Amino acid sequence: MTDAASLMAAIDADCQALDLASKELAGMTDALARAEIDYEDAMDAALVAVEDEYRRRDERLPSERQRDAHARQRIDPEVRREFLQLERKVKHIKAWGEMRARALSARQSELSFLKAEGQAPQQQPAWTARSAA
């Protein structure tokens, strides 16, 4: 078991880290939305071009998977790279946040136990929500 002061310091660090991550995530999700739109627009245009090419040659269209592969070869690789990198970063930040939130919850539970046992101060720390008086 950890002492109350160490738990409170760890909880404060968790809260600060989660706050910073949420601000970073907010900016990234906006950028991800723009990158996704750019990628989808580029893919749509490339798919239309691939399908038009096959129709002009009067050939049967390949499978959807093959059409997608042909289309990806026609778009600017940077458009796809930016979208995939942002998507991956957002996913990792969300996973990190979930892990950190679980650790925070565990620390808060441990602190609550210490308070119930009379081993921790009863005052509310700065990171908790305060009720309106």
Side-chain angles (χ1 to χ4, degrees), residues 65-124:
R65 176 82 173 116
Q66 288 175 319
R67 289 191 306 266
D68 286 347
H70 287 294
R72 275 193 298 277
Q73 290 177 344
R74 293 174 182 233
I75 66 173
D76 179 2
E78 188 57 35
V79 170
R80 182 169 186 246
R81 185 176 300 113
E82 181 179 354
F83 168 60
L84 293 176
Q85 284 176 340
L86 282 169
E87 185 177 52
R88 194 171 299 123
K89 285 178 185 178
V90 165
K91 179 182 172 186
H92 285 128
I93 288 174
K94 285 181 178 180
W96 174 89
E98 290 169 5
M99 179 182 64
R100 191 77 181 241
R102 283 191 301 272
L104 171 62
S105 179
R107 288 184 181 106
Q108 288 172 327
S109 294
E110 190 173 353
L111 184 61
S112 292
F113 173 77
L114 290 176
K115 283 182 181 179
E117 294 292 312
Q119 298 175 20
Q122 296 299 316
Q123 72 183 39
Q124 284 188 329

Side-chain angles (χ1 to χ4, degrees), residues 3 6 10 25 42 63 76 102 125 128:
D3 67 284
S6 297
L25 189 58
S63 70
D76 179 2
R102 283 191 301 272
T128 60

